[in-house]
Amino acid sequence: MTALSTWRDLLASWAIPDTVRPPESPWVLPREVFLRRADRQIAAPIGATHRLAAEALQEPGTVLDVGAAAGAASLPLVGRSNVTAVTALDTDDELLAAFAERAAGVEHRLLSGRWPDLAKKAGQADVVVCGNVVYNVPDLAPFAAALTAAARRRVVVETAARHPLTELNPLWQRFHGIERPTGPTVEDCLAALAEVGIEPEVVEWRRPPEPEYAEFATTVDVVRRRLCLPADATGEVERALLEMGVDPEMPPDLGSSGRDLVTLVWPGSA
C-alpha cells in the first residue's frame, strides 16, 4: 500500500458508522470560527504560516488563497507585505462574501469552487497559501501538484498536527461506545507528499487559547451535532465538555483545526 492510498483510506475511515443515525447533518461548517479567526489575524497576525508567507513577499507579489474562508491566511499579509492582488478560492459563497468585505483596499478576485478543479481559472500567483484544508482532500497528489504549479515563489500550507476530529474521540466513546480513528496525522501527509516528490520545510507551532465562538452554548450545539446526538442531549454534552476541562469563558471549536498546528513550505514551479 502506498502512502497516498493510506492517506485516502484514513480519511475515508471518518465516515459516520452505519450503526449511528444522525438526527441532522454532523458535518458542521463553523463559519463563525472562520470569521473570528480572520478578524483576529488581520488585526494582529501570529504563527508560522503568516511569517513564512510574508518572507516570500518582500518584493511586490500576488497571493492565491486556496480554501480561503474569510481570509485568515492571506488578508493579514495585506498592508504588512508587498501584496499587489489576492485571489480567494473557496466552496462556500458566504465565506467568500465575508472575504470580500475584509479585502477592501486591495485588488481581489473571488472563485467559487474546488481545487484543483479551478486551478486553470485561478492562474498563477507569487505565493500560494492554503490553510487547514488538507484533511478534506482524499486525492492529495493532484491537489498538491496544482498548488506547486500555481506558485512562482512559494507554497505555504497550514494544517493541524492530526485530524481535528480526533479531539472528539473521548466523547464518541462516552456517548456511543465507539472507537473513532486516530489519524491521519501530519506525518501521513508528509509521507504522501514525498511520493509525489514534495519534501517541504516543516514548522510546528501552537495557536494560543482563544474564544472561537461568542458563546459556550454554540460550542455545545456544534459538538452535539458532530456527535450525531439529538437536541435533548444538549445538557449531557455540556456536562461532558465541562468534565473534559473546556473553559466556558473560552469557547473552542472542537473539530476544525485545533491548537497544535504545522506549516509546510516548499518552492513553487510556475
Side-chain angles (χ1 to χ4, degrees):
M1 180 177 290
T2 67
L4 285 165
S5 62
T6 297
W7 174 263
R8 188 180 304 110
D9 291 346
L10 287 170
L11 289 180
S13 70
W14 281 100
I16 300 301
D18 293 338
T19 55
V20 176
R21 295 289 182 266
E24 54 195 307
S25 174
W27 307 116
V28 181
L29 179 66
R31 291 190 182 94
E32 180 182 340
V33 173
F34 298 138
L35 298 176
R36 293 168 69 89
R37 190 171 295 162
D39 289 339
R40 279 192 297 267
Q41 280 291 97
I42 291 168
I46 62 169
T49 303
H50 176 77
R51 174 177 59 82
L52 292 165
E55 278 182 4
L57 289 163
Q58 296 179 28
E59 298 295 327
T62 56
V63 176
L64 168 60
D65 192 343
V66 175
S74 57
L75 292 182
L77 297 164
V78 175
R80 296 181 174 91
S81 303
N82 292 304
V83 177
T84 57
V86 182
T87 297
L89 184 151
D90 203 278
T91 58
D92 188 86
D93 290 341
E94 288 187 37
L95 288 174
L96 283 175
F99 182 103
E101 291 174 5
R102 290 158 175 77
V106 63
E107 180 183 341
H108 61 277
R109 183 169 55 127
L110 308 179
L111 295 177
S112 179
R114 295 188 178 278
W115 185 268
D117 298 352
L118 295 184
K120 185 175 181 179
K121 189 172 183 179
Q124 298 175 344
D126 292 297
V127 175
V128 175
V129 295
C130 178
N132 299 294
V133 175
V134 295
Y135 289 115
N136 294 318
V137 181
D139 295 321
L140 195 56
F143 186 93
L147 294 178
T148 304
R152 284 187 284 266
R153 300 177 190 169
R154 178 176 285 184
V155 177
V156 184
V157 172
E158 179 179 303
T159 187
R162 64 177 55 251
H163 197 293
L165 287 176
T166 58
E167 292 185 299
L168 298 176
N169 284 5
L171 296 173
W172 273 94
Q173 181 63 49
R174 174 171 175 155
F175 286 98
H176 296 287
I178 292 174
E179 294 287 339
R180 295 295 273 155
T182 57
T185 67
V186 71
E187 286 77 16
D188 297 305
C189 179
L190 289 168
L193 291 174
E195 286 190 347
V196 293
I198 297 173
E199 296 187 1
E201 174 187 353
V202 179
V203 180
E204 299 177 358
W205 58 287
R206 186 170 174 82
R207 181 183 289 122
E210 55 193 20
E212 296 189 293
Y213 289 108
E215 299 179 350
F216 180 51
T218 307
T219 292
V220 173
D221 185 63
V222 170
V223 168
R224 177 191 64 78
R225 290 178 58 188
R226 284 177 170 155
L227 292 173
C228 303
L229 295 170
D232 60 13
T234 297
E236 296 175 65
V237 173
E238 180 175 339
R239 283 192 295 274
L241 290 173
L242 292 173
E243 290 173 12
M244 284 176 62
V246 172
D247 182 357
E249 300 300 317
M250 198 75 66
D253 180 57
L254 301 178
S256 63
S257 61
R259 293 177 181 164
D260 292 317
L261 300 169
V262 181
T263 300
L264 312 178
V265 182
W266 66 88
S269 64

